[in-house]
Amino acid sequence: MFASSAARRSFLALGCVALLSGCITQKSDSPDHWIKAMNNRPATKSTIYVCHAFGCKLKYTFRPTSKDIAKLKSILAKGKRSPEAERKAIGNAVVWFEKRVGPLMGSDKDKGGLDMHNSGVPGQMDCIDEASNTTSLIVFAEKHGLLTHYTVQSPVARGFFLDGRYPHATAVIKEKKSGKRYAVDSWLFDNGVFPAIKPLHVWMSESPSSR
């Protein structure tokens, strides 16, 4: 049960956003389309804009220090030997990033999964925020030349009520050699927990509650 009629309205709005975003993003590989649809700003070599409060309602400006960049580099360096290793390294980078910015912006207490009673609460994140933030982190890493086997793709969405599934979005990476795409989905879990990383076609076939 949802906590209030306001939460229900927020959830329906989120569904519309997810549907619209899904239509936009599945037409292009560029994360820029998603960023524009979410009214967010793209990551640069010096700044990552972190979405929160559901639907990217609020943004936190995070400027990684040289120490942060060195840490991210050391995490992703462990993925150079193979695509599988880099997927794991990307997951570890997401864990590090969430723990790093959490205390700064209040997202260290972010709860995973469907929690519409937290809609609009600063620091809490829905799948739109999570997909945006993971994408921004990986774009930042890519701009610093820290990825070997993968490129960043635009997030995609699945589910549209009529098929019995809630709308849900995820970040996506694409293997350079094979062209295979993988979902990097941190929405299911609390802040700082390793995300679900799996072939995109598998992720697309699941319900949003699947891990």
Side-chain angles (χ1 to χ4, degrees):
M1 297 293 291
F2 295 127
S4 66
S5 59
R8 287 193 293 271
R9 287 195 297 271
S10 180
F11 182 74
L12 290 174
L14 170 62
C16 292
V17 170
L19 284 171
L20 175 60
S21 302
C23 292
I24 292 172
T25 59
Q26 290 176 34
K27 290 181 180 179
S28 173
D29 288 342
S30 173
D32 291 344
H33 289 263
W34 173 275
I35 299 232
K36 182 178 180 180
M38 294 302 103
N39 192 32
N40 195 12
R41 297 175 66 182
T44 68
K45 288 192 72 173
S46 63
T47 307
I48 300 174
Y49 300 95
V50 186
C51 293
H52 59 119
F54 284 42
C56 211
K57 183 178 181 181
L58 300 176
K59 290 91 174 171
Y60 175 81
T61 301
F62 176 62
R63 294 184 174 88
T65 65
S66 57
K67 184 178 179 180
D68 290 325
I69 296 172
K71 179 63 176 179
L72 182 60
K73 182 178 181 179
S74 70
I75 292 172
L76 292 173
K78 296 179 180 179
K80 288 185 177 181
R81 66 181 180 273
S82 69
E84 181 181 10
E86 188 157 270
R87 293 197 301 274
K88 183 177 180 180
I90 288 171
N92 286 329
V94 171
V95 171
W96 166 79
F97 180 65
E98 291 188 355
K99 290 183 177 180
R100 175 69 176 89
V101 301
L104 301 176
M105 57 178 288
S107 60
D108 51 329
K109 298 178 178 61
D110 177 48
K111 295 298 180 182
L114 187 62
D115 58 342
M116 287 307 299
H117 60 285
N118 282 323
S119 176
V121 177
Q124 294 294 311
M125 300 177 182
D126 63 358
C127 65
I128 300 296
D129 297 326
E130 297 278 8
S132 298
N133 297 340
T134 298
T135 298
S136 292
L137 171 65
I138 306 173
V139 167
F140 179 83
E142 191 173 52
K143 286 181 178 294
H144 282 268
L146 303 182
L147 298 182
T148 301
H149 302 284
Y150 288 92
T151 59
V152 192
Q153 302 289 281
S154 178
V156 299
R158 71 183 181 201
F160 49 94
F161 293 115
L162 296 179
D163 68 351
R165 299 187 298 169
Y166 294 123
H168 179 39
T170 185
V172 179
I173 54 176
K174 181 180 179 180
E175 188 179 339
K176 295 177 181 178
K177 186 175 181 179
S178 69
K180 293 181 180 178
R181 301 186 187 207
Y182 291 83
V184 183
D185 186 1
S186 60
W187 172 76
L188 290 164
F189 310 105
D190 292 353
N191 183 79
V193 176
F194 195 91
I197 303 179
K198 59 186 68 178
L200 184 60
H201 72 276
V202 173
W203 183 90
M204 290 293 291
S205 69
E206 297 172 339
S207 69
S209 60
S210 298
R211 297 193 180 192

